[in-house]
């Protein structure tokens, strides 16, 4: 069960996120094997599925290109917002090159990208490395970050990043 929000209106219905096609599908019942419709991709429409809030937004991907797609809000603060994008990527299979190797079947791979947004800038993809995160923070927050460097030197999870950004955002 999910909720579709548009301005101040909301509708409860059955929703699921299709990570391969980057769309939110609407089903008529819980038992539906396929979706009947998809939510219109618009900045004014957001969806909540379980505890995840999906927003359709423009962002800058890991290759520095502007793209549009669904992002999941994971932290909303005064100066910074954090988003996650979970996608499914299809990887082609490969034939064995010799008799010592095995064939690799085609498969779907989960790809998670984390984005940081400063005030009204576009969300930018970041890697979970202290140096890469510090490059995305505003100049006035660099001193706070330098004071926290010892306790946040190794950022290896989304939870640790949320903790760091929430401390800087105070």
């Amino acid at each position: 069960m999910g909720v579709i929000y548009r301005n101040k209106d909301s509708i409860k219905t059955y929703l699921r996120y299709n990570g391969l096609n980057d769309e939110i599908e609407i089903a008529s019942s819980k038992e539906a094997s396929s979706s009947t419709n998809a939510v219109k991709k618009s900045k004014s429409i957001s969806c909540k599925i379980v505890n995840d809030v999906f927003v359709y937004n423009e962002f800058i991907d890991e290759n520095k290109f502007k793209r549009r797609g669904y992002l999941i809000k994971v932290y909303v603060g005064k100066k910074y917002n954090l988003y996650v994008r979970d996608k499914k990527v299809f990887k082609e299979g490969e034939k064995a090159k010799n008799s010592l190797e095995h064939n690799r079947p085609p498969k779907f791979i989960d790809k998670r990208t984390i984005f940081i947004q400063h005030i009204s800038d576009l969300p930018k993809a970041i890697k979970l490395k202290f140096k890469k995160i510090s490059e995305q923070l505003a100049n006035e927050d660099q001193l706070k970050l330098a004071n926290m460097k010892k306790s946040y030197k190794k950022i290896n999870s989304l939870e640790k990043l949320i903790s760091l950004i929430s401390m800087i955002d105070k």
Side-chain angles (χ1 to χ4, degrees):
M1 189 54 108
V3 182
I4 301 172
Y5 299 99
R6 183 165 184 245
N7 301 325
K8 295 182 182 184
D9 299 329
S10 65
I11 299 170
K12 280 189 173 185
T13 186
Y14 293 100
L15 301 173
R16 73 173 175 203
Y17 176 66
N18 180 335
L20 184 63
N21 296 324
D22 193 33
E23 63 185 12
I24 296 178
E25 299 174 343
I26 304 170
S28 55
S29 70
K30 189 176 184 177
E31 289 78 30
S33 60
S34 64
S35 65
T36 54
N37 292 311
V39 174
K40 182 180 178 195
K41 294 181 176 182
S42 169
K43 283 185 98 173
S44 63
I45 298 173
S46 62
C47 299
K48 185 174 183 179
I49 303 172
V50 188
N51 293 324
D52 295 333
V53 177
F54 290 80
V55 292
Y56 187 74
N57 209 346
E58 194 171 31
F59 57 86
I60 298 173
D61 69 7
E62 48 277 332
N63 298 321
K64 309 282 190 265
F65 292 115
K66 272 189 184 180
R67 303 238 187 255
R68 290 179 187 265
Y70 282 105
L71 302 175
I72 303 169
K73 286 183 182 182
V74 290
Y75 173 81
V76 178
K78 294 175 190 157
K79 293 192 285 186
Y80 295 100
N81 296 329
L82 291 175
Y83 300 93
V84 167
R85 184 160 197 233
D86 289 326
K87 289 273 300 162
K88 294 274 187 195
V89 179
F90 181 73
K91 187 168 183 175
E92 292 287 339
E94 294 178 13
K95 290 270 187 200
K97 294 179 181 129
N98 57 44
S99 62
L100 298 174
E101 294 180 358
H102 296 288
N103 289 338
R104 291 194 181 128
K107 62 182 176 179
F108 288 101
I109 298 171
D110 292 327
K111 182 181 176 194
R112 173 172 263 198
T113 311
I114 299 172
F115 294 85
I116 188 166
Q117 178 183 29
H118 180 254
I119 304 175
S120 61
D121 294 342
L122 289 178
K124 294 178 186 168
I126 57 163
K127 294 192 185 315
L128 287 179
K129 294 192 180 340
F130 191 85
K131 184 179 178 191
K132 298 291 182 185
I133 293 164
S134 68
E135 290 170 1
Q136 298 298 326
L137 299 181
N139 289 337
E140 67 263 13
D141 295 324
Q142 293 296 330
L143 183 63
K144 285 183 186 177
L145 187 66
N147 293 336
M148 292 186 253
K149 188 171 183 172
K150 283 186 180 176
S151 54
Y152 287 98
K153 183 66 179 160
K154 188 165 177 106
I155 299 171
N156 52 10
S157 69
L158 180 60
E159 289 74 27
K160 193 134 184 185
L161 177 62
I162 292 170
S163 173
L164 171 68
I165 297 299
S166 66
M167 295 292 283
I168 290 170
D169 213 13
K170 287 182 181 174

